[in-house]
Amino acid sequence: MIHNTSKLFLGDILDVGCGSGALTIAVAKNNPEAKVFGVDRWGKEYAAFSKALCEENAEKMDYFFRILYYV
């Protein structure tokens, strides 16, 4: 778990249990050289979150090209 999203990291970053993708986007924003991967299962108990929502949020913030989401 990353506690400081402003720490510069060069390479790939994995956000496990990314939910809405907010933390994934924050990490991508503060680590411009990194490729960020978000993974979640987005089950029925978390119906408000989905892969599509994460991708939409990343696109709105203009980070869609550096963030990949997986189920």
Side-chain angles (χ1 to χ4, degrees):
M1 176 177 214
I2 296 175
H3 295 282
N4 182 357
T5 62
S6 65
K7 185 175 182 178
L8 184 63
F9 182 82
L10 304 174
D12 295 339
I13 300 172
L14 176 62
D15 179 10
V16 178
C18 63
S20 68
L23 180 60
T24 315
I25 293 167
V27 169
K29 178 180 178 182
N30 290 303
N31 295 279
E33 300 299 318
K35 184 148 218 169
V36 184
F37 299 88
V39 178
D40 208 315
R41 66 183 193 92
W42 296 295
K44 63 182 176 182
E45 59 277 355
Y46 299 104
F49 300 138
S50 67
K51 180 181 178 192
L53 174 66
C54 289
E55 291 172 343
E56 181 181 320
N57 289 340
E59 189 170 12
K60 284 179 187 175
M61 299 300 292
D62 201 27
Y63 289 101
F64 189 73
F65 63 97
R66 286 197 306 113
I67 301 174
L68 298 172
Y69 292 102
Y70 295 94
V71 177

